[in-house]
Amino acid sequence: MAHKTWDAIVIGGGAAGLFCAGVASQLGKRVLVLDHADVLGEKIRISGGGRCNFTNIHSNPSHFLSLNPHFVKSALARYPSSEFIKLVQSYRIAHHEKHQGQLFCDDSAKQIIEMLFSECAKGNVKIRYPETIQTIEKEADEWIVKTNVGIERTKSVVMATGGLPVPAIGATAYSLDIAKQFGLQVVEPRPALVPLSFTSGEFENLIELAGLSLPVRIASGSKGSRYGACRFNEDLLLTHKGLSGPAVLQASSYWTEGEQIHIDWLGAVEANGQFDCDDLFNDEDNRLKLTENILASVMPMRLAKAFAEQKNLLGRKWAEVSKKDRQTLKELISNWSVKPAGTLGWKKAEVMLGGVDTKALDSQTMMARNHPGLYFIGECVDVTGHLGGHNFQWAWASGFACAHSL
Ligand code: FDA
């Protein structure tokens, strides 16, 4: 039997791949999705604690890291979060805003997966899995995709195999391998939105506080680092292995091995205008209070004690604490600068930094400039969103741009 030629074969049936396939098929394209996994949409299912933070109302280019920060502009403008929200509403998926524009399903992330499948079904997308993709080659004007099941011919190939986080659910570097096969540059991948680990002595007495969470101001990166510097007011979580929570996950994307991160333990509270750190340290009404009790007026007592202990001021009345000691304590609390030992790696990362270099891609279509018909979308591209629904927004926006070009 003669082989049919598909308009597009999408490799990877995750967020970007399924969305792109659905849109393209409804524009009249014949689309085949191939995936090696036993179950599709696993990253969507585990996202947002099972409720999928599917987009962010405020998503804009400033929420993305890329060697070329302008690359995301066109796709995000063409398919902003408001469009995806309309789609979610059309499926009557109940959702709510949690924090800073983050939208979550009220019930389950599975509703987003089902919606993507329904969109594919509307356009008669053929989805085959598990299937192992063996080779992708160009032959004249056609692309030849060889799998363990057979050979497929197509006008276009869309690489949508995502990033390296969570290898246990089938993450691979396949899109990066295909990029390299066709001579495209790849920006070295690194785990991002990932907890940080510490070996530093400064961290020792904080380990006992594992489980404690509080709002902080965190700064990471520098002008010279790959993605510049960042500053976030978010919650930090102390764990047995180090630091986690939204503040640290955000900072991790800007952090490079060997660099320090800076934590102002009172910065987020101060930013809310609830108090002024200088007032706290200079207030003479505090003279007869114990150091830890003064700190505990603005942070959890366990943490207040740990800081006072670290500077040998535990149980000391404020009046007895010298100006110099007050200053070093203030420095410790308002600019705790520590060098993380590393990250918790791909197992615990939510996304991948780096990926297919955007220099090789057309930002309007996601097509490889020198290889007509070869596209890269979603997380495999060197575009990484902040925490808060931006990574899914990139999957939808890049998938949409690609679908309209197939
Ligand atoms: P995605 O990973 O979704 O899909 C890739 C697909 O390719 C998979 O189906 C995989 O099986 C397939 N594949 C891989 N290698 C293959 C190969 N060699 N051959 C064939 N198929 C292959 N983002 C967000 O915005 N909000 C959130 O709440 C969260 N939460 C979250 C929690 C956790 C624990 C993680 C790990 C990640 C998140 N994310 C997130 C990030 C988000 O899940 C991620 O950015 C998107 O799923 C990326 O979509 P893609 O389609 O690019 O990859």
Side-chain angles (χ1 to χ4, degrees), residues 12 14-16 35-37 47-48 53 161-162 166 170 172 174 350 378-379 389 391-392:
D35 200 294
H36 71 159
S47 69
N53 177 194
T161 60
V166 203
T172 71
Y174 193 52
E350 276 197 18
E379 198 178 323
N391 285 295
F392 279 133

Side-chain angles (χ1 to χ4, degrees), residues 85-204:
I85 295 165
K86 272 189 219 157
L87 181 66
V88 168
Q89 283 168 346
S90 74
Y91 277 79
R92 299 186 193 284
I93 298 175
H95 56 278
H96 59 279
E97 181 181 345
K98 212 168 175 181
H99 171 61
Q100 298 178 352
Q102 303 170 2
L103 295 187
F104 287 77
C105 299
D106 287 356
D107 297 326
S108 166
K110 286 183 193 158
Q111 293 172 290
I112 299 292
I113 304 173
E114 283 158 16
M115 180 185 83
L116 295 174
F117 276 122
S118 299
E119 286 295 294
C120 284
K122 276 187 195 170
N124 294 320
V125 174
K126 176 93 181 147
I127 304 176
R128 295 199 326 228
Y129 64 98
E131 195 160 323
T132 307
I133 290 85
Q134 291 167 338
T135 55
I136 298 177
E137 306 282 352
K138 182 101 195 251
E139 219 178 79
D141 283 346
E142 274 189 340
W143 292 86
I144 314 295
V145 177
K146 200 170 153 201
T147 77
N148 61 323
V149 172
I151 290 176
E152 297 291 344
R153 294 170 183 278
T154 175
K155 290 178 193 156
S156 300
V157 172
V158 180
M159 296 306 302
T161 60
L164 294 171
V166 203
I169 55 168
T172 71
Y174 193 52
S175 292
L176 309 188
D177 296 342
I178 292 298
K180 288 178 194 163
Q181 179 187 324
F182 289 96
L184 279 69
Q185 295 291 314
V186 169
V187 180
E188 184 214 341
R190 242 171 45 196
L193 297 182
V194 61
L196 297 172
S197 64
F198 289 83
T199 50
S200 150
E202 276 166 305
F203 191 69
E204 250 160 40

Side-chain angles (χ1 to χ4, degrees), residues 355-398:
V356 179
D357 195 334
T358 58
K359 265 195 233 122
L361 306 178
D362 180 327
S363 65
Q364 316 260 321
T365 63
M366 306 297 134
M367 192 172 80
R369 291 181 195 282
N370 296 330
H371 298 280
L374 178 61
Y375 295 78
F376 293 85
I377 59 171
E379 198 178 323
C380 68
V381 179
D382 171 35
V383 169
T384 308
H386 286 174
L387 191 75
H390 304 287
N391 285 295
F392 279 133
Q393 184 52 35
W394 172 245
W396 320 135
S398 58

Side-chain angles (χ1 to χ4, degrees), residues 206 212 214-217 236 238 243 263-269 298-299 303 307 332-336:
L206 296 185
L212 192 79
L214 74 161
V216 301
R217 178 182 295 153
L236 172 147
L238 291 156
L243 297 178
I263 295 168
D264 180 345
W265 294 88
L266 301 178
V269 191
V298 288
M299 63 172 65
L303 188 63
F307 283 135
L332 174 72
I333 289 165
S334 60
N335 188 13
W336 194 66

